[in-house]
Amino acid sequence: MSFLGKSDRQILETLGERLRRHRLHRDITQEQLAERAGLSVSTIKGLEAGRGRLDSLIAVLRELGQLDGLETFLPDPGISPLQLAERQGRPRQRASRTSAQKTPPAKKDKPQSDW
């Protein structure tokens, strides 16, 4: 399933539904999952509805045995050997501005009036 054509809301709802199916597959109630993950039942309900915080999601994924899915979800981009060599062995710490951002916009001169 591709998320490309979906809105943010649709993606969150899909992820919440998948989380619910994982919970049901393991035959765990929302109350049991909340207790095991150290969260409230309303937090579990919120996550399954596509709302919630990342730390809550991680706690639930840990309890459902799905933490390894995060590596597939957002893999480490690593460091390009070429970039590492250019930076003399130091990994990048900040993003650079584009050339359009580096130069401030030119001030427009006021048009000269005829009078």
Side-chain angles (χ1 to χ4, degrees), residues 32-98:
Q32 290 169 326
L33 181 57
E35 184 178 326
R36 292 177 188 177
L39 302 169
S40 68
V41 175
S42 63
T43 298
I44 301 300
K45 289 179 180 181
L47 286 170
E48 290 183 1
R51 300 182 313 273
R53 295 177 10 183
L54 286 176
D55 57 343
S56 300
L57 177 62
I58 291 169
V60 168
L61 291 174
R62 182 183 312 280
E63 190 55 42
L64 293 175
Q66 297 297 318
L67 270 181
D68 54 341
L70 288 178
E71 187 59 39
T72 303
F73 168 66
L74 194 61
D76 183 358
I79 300 171
S80 159
L82 184 58
Q83 285 181 343
L84 196 57
E86 288 174 355
R87 300 192 50 76
Q88 301 169 350
R90 295 172 304 185
R92 173 172 245 156
Q93 299 295 316
R94 293 184 193 91
S96 60
R97 293 182 179 187
T98 63

Side-chain angles (χ1 to χ4, degrees), residues 4 22 28 77:
L4 288 178
H22 275 286
I28 301 172

